[in-house]
Amino acid sequence: DYRLVATPVGETTSKQYVRPETGERIVDGLRTAAAMSDARTLTAFELICDTPDMQDTYLGNEERAEMYRFARANAGALTTGMHETGDFEEWLESVKTARILDEWIGGATAEELVEAYRIGPGDLDSRIERAEWLLSAAEALADTVGVSVPSVPRARSRL
């Protein structure tokens, strides 16, 4: 007789309708962010954008070097270091998405973001919608694992 029982993190992950890999990545990112001295809204966005449930944002050849410079300049606010990622290109795409979201809550207009990052208006809307959902999941998971990352609810409230 066997009985399967979900862990508290597994139960919260399921209730938030995110993939197990997303739940794991968010929990790891929350723990990292909770220990950071420079956690800010960019941190919250990067940890949710680097999950399987966030849509990728295409990274063009011309943008690659700029995103690399941005990631290096903001390394203290990112939960994953350049040398820690399994797929550097995919991670840079998540950094780009996080940057777009952070600029959005910073006051950039949709037109400015569409022009600067070659993203369609509908794509921007879908990233914002997914970010709200994933930040909500991150808040629930933070409660489950008992960590406090104030930049997560702050980012969500500003979307």
Side-chain angles (χ1 to χ4, degrees), residues 25-26 28-50 70 74-80 91 94-95 98-99 101-102 105 135 138 149-152 154-155:
R25 170 65 186 111
I26 288 174
D28 289 346
L30 287 167
R31 287 181 173 143
T32 300
M36 293 168 65
S37 61
D38 192 21
R40 50 188 201 245
T41 54
L42 178 64
T43 309
F45 289 131
E46 184 256 343
L47 80 88
I48 61 147
C49 289
D50 192 21
F70 177 81
N74 292 279
L78 303 176
T79 61
T80 303
W91 177 76
S94 70
V95 170
R99 183 178 184 180
L101 292 168
D102 204 47
I105 67 167
L135 287 169
V149 182
S151 61
V152 172
R154 188 170 52 247

Side-chain angles (χ1 to χ4, degrees), residues 3 7 9 22 24 29-30 36 39-40 44 49 58 62 65 78 86 102 114 116-117 119 121 130 141-143 151 158:
R3 183 167 181 232
T7 64
V9 169
T22 295
E24 178 184 28
L30 287 167
M36 293 168 65
R40 50 188 201 245
C49 289
Y58 176 75
E62 305 88 41
L78 303 176
D102 204 47
V114 164
Y117 296 105
I119 184 172
R130 281 185 182 256
L141 286 163
D143 287 343
S151 61
R158 294 177 65 193

Side-chain angles (χ1 to χ4, degrees), residues 33-139:
M36 293 168 65
S37 61
D38 192 21
R40 50 188 201 245
T41 54
L42 178 64
T43 309
F45 289 131
E46 184 256 343
L47 80 88
I48 61 147
C49 289
D50 192 21
T51 66
D53 282 309
M54 177 55 86
Q55 297 168 307
D56 290 335
T57 302
Y58 176 75
L59 186 64
N61 287 331
E62 305 88 41
E63 296 174 298
R64 194 168 284 105
E66 172 55 29
M67 281 307 126
Y68 178 81
R69 284 190 293 275
F70 177 81
R72 283 189 60 133
N74 292 279
L78 303 176
T79 61
T80 303
M82 290 183 194
H83 62 282
E84 297 169 345
T85 181
D87 184 335
F88 185 73
E89 188 78 14
E90 191 174 284
W91 177 76
L92 269 184
E93 289 172 355
S94 70
V95 170
K96 176 182 177 179
T97 306
R99 183 178 184 180
I100 291 168
L101 292 168
D102 204 47
E103 289 183 17
W104 171 255
I105 67 167
T109 66
E111 294 79 20
E112 290 169 335
L113 295 171
V114 164
E115 169 106 14
Y117 296 105
R118 299 177 335 165
I119 184 172
D123 293 331
L124 176 61
D125 289 342
S126 72
R127 298 315 183 279
I128 293 167
E129 187 177 302
R130 281 185 182 256
E132 288 176 306
W133 163 50
L134 291 169
L135 287 169
S136 175
E139 286 183 74

